[in-house]
Amino acid sequence: MTQLEELKKHTILVSDTGDVNEVKRLKPQDATTNPSLIYKAAKMDAYKDLVDQAIKYGKGDLGLVMDKLAVTFGAEIHKLVPGYVSTEVDARLSFDTEATIAKARKIIELYKEVGVDKSAILIKIAATWEGIKAAEVLEKEGITCNLTLIFSLAQAIACGDGGITLISPFVGRIFDYYKKAKGVDGFKPEEDPGVISVTQIYNYYKKYGYNTIVMGASFRNKDQITELCGCDRLTISPKLLDELAASEVAVPKKLEASQSALMEIEKIDMDEKTFRWMMNQDPMATEKLADGIRNFAKDIVSLEEIVKAKM
């Protein structure tokens, strides 16, 4: 049995790509996109028609064209997956609760126009305090959310308390930070700081009965993935999915909710002051959250340049 088949017995696997043809090939349960992935896909000749379609729809309104483009890619992916498709809100709104809510509602409206129900969509929002508060409002309206760029337990607890549907804690970017900080080439899978972070979040959620789905994201190698076997979901690039499909090394289940429930874990009462203090005390989480928002914003601007050139 391949590692991919073994993983699928314990964890829902999600495809992390904006490339519709890759989703078609891999047949995942869910799919996630982000501005960087849409930017890469929009440069491919294969998706020229989707870009042209969005430009035509927007009638000169760049903001509307960008929303339509994300939804057009998402709608194509939705045809191929039985579960959720994640579509990201503009990262430049990460510190504006009201604007994030308005943008999310607009994305859901655009999906509705093409016959995709909101139950199939996760609105992806950066897990700033303002983003989490926006997601709380949206969840109460029945708009399910995926809070992304999670690097700390503080972010995860705030999302769990807010009744958020799903969070994406990032393994690879935490790995990158500590690799550089410690001046090492890498870590053993069980000592990988990114793996440890997701494991901590998973155990906290299962200990205290949170329903929020933990979906590990941003992997640098397949050992990070197999070390999180048993996590609710894992979103994985096509390249690493292929590597897992080519390997037959055994994959034992590492995360077990029934074991988490027995662990001694301190309960943390989360409010804005506690959130901001815990983030302040965590240089890695503070840096990587800001860096992630900056990079997504940069790719949105790059994507806007492609679109503007064609308008």
Side-chain angles (χ1 to χ4, degrees):
M1 189 181 287
T2 69
Q3 287 190 315
L4 190 64
E5 288 164 335
E6 284 209 56
L7 265 170
K8 280 181 177 174
K9 288 198 291 189
H10 305 295
T11 294
I12 291 172
L13 301 185
V14 179
S15 177
D16 197 22
T17 180
D19 187 334
V20 180
N21 289 328
E22 284 289 76
V23 176
K24 201 177 287 183
R25 178 176 73 81
L26 294 161
K27 301 182 176 63
Q29 167 73 20
D30 298 352
T32 51
T33 63
N34 64 42
S36 309
L37 296 172
I38 298 280
Y39 171 57
K40 279 180 200 158
K43 290 192 291 183
M44 297 180 189
D45 285 342
Y47 304 119
K48 183 180 174 296
D49 287 352
L50 295 188
V51 177
D52 290 346
Q53 207 177 308
I55 289 168
K56 189 178 175 188
Y57 180 92
K59 296 177 180 161
D61 180 338
L62 182 61
L64 184 55
V65 172
M66 295 296 287
D67 292 343
K68 181 64 176 173
L69 186 58
V71 168
T72 302
F73 271 94
E76 288 299 311
I77 292 169
H78 168 69
K79 294 173 188 171
L80 305 169
V81 298
Y84 289 120
V85 175
S86 289
T87 297
E88 192 137 349
V89 164
D90 190 326
R92 294 169 295 189
L93 305 178
S94 295
F95 301 99
D96 189 331
T97 298
E98 291 307 318
T100 296
I101 292 167
K103 182 66 81 176
R105 287 173 180 155
K106 181 65 183 172
I107 289 168
I108 291 299
E109 187 187 306
L110 289 171
Y111 270 116
K112 191 177 177 184
E113 280 180 15
V114 293
V116 178
D117 190 73
K118 66 183 178 183
S119 62
I121 304 302
L122 287 173
I123 294 293
K124 212 167 164 193
I125 300 168
T128 57
W129 181 258
E130 294 80 3
I132 295 166
K133 292 292 118 182
E136 280 184 29
V137 173
L138 293 165
E139 291 279 356
K140 288 189 178 102
E141 295 176 5
I143 296 172
T144 46
C145 297
N146 167 359
L147 271 284
T148 189
L149 297 173
I150 301 262
F151 299 101
S152 75
L153 187 60
Q155 291 170 291
I157 294 171
C159 291
D161 288 347
I164 308 308
T165 297
L166 181 147
I167 61 166
S168 298
F170 279 37
V171 176
R173 296 192 197 186
I174 295 177
F175 169 85
D176 295 343
Y177 178 92
Y178 285 109
K179 200 171 111 172
K180 186 179 174 187
K182 292 177 185 289
V184 296
D185 291 331
F187 302 91
K188 290 178 186 168
E190 66 276 13
E191 294 171 4
D192 186 307
V195 169
I196 290 167
S197 176
V198 176
T199 302
Q200 179 194 32
I201 289 166
Y202 176 90
N203 287 333
Y204 188 95
Y205 271 17
K206 303 312 174 193
K207 168 77 178 175
Y208 291 109
Y210 287 101
N211 293 321
T212 299
I213 296 161
V214 180
M215 182 173 75
S218 159
F219 295 102
R220 297 294 177 258
N221 57 63
K222 71 182 181 67
D223 290 343
Q224 292 174 332
I225 296 165
T226 56
E227 198 61 30
L228 290 170
C229 180
C231 193
D232 301 332
R233 280 169 165 77
L234 298 172
T235 184
I236 306 168
S237 69
K239 177 180 175 287
L240 289 174
L241 286 169
D242 287 341
E243 284 183 27
L244 290 162
S247 172
E248 295 197 350
V249 177
V251 183
K253 189 176 184 187
K254 295 293 179 93
L255 300 184
E256 182 63 73
S258 59
Q259 294 299 313
S260 308
L262 305 173
M263 292 178 181
E264 295 277 325
I265 301 172
E266 183 194 353
K267 182 89 166 79
I268 297 169
D269 294 321
M270 190 56 62
D271 57 16
E272 184 177 354
K273 289 190 285 291
T274 306
F275 177 89
R276 296 202 186 280
W277 180 250
M278 286 178 72
M279 289 295 286
N280 183 71
Q281 297 303 95
D282 188 339
M284 177 278 296
T286 298
E287 182 181 314
K288 296 314 283 182
L289 174 58
D291 184 55
I293 291 168
R294 276 195 302 270
N295 284 329
F296 282 158
K298 191 173 121 202
D299 283 333
I300 292 166
V301 171
S302 300
L303 184 54
E304 282 179 345
E305 292 306 319
I306 289 177
V307 168
K308 275 194 248 180
K310 293 184 174 207
M311 278 171 79

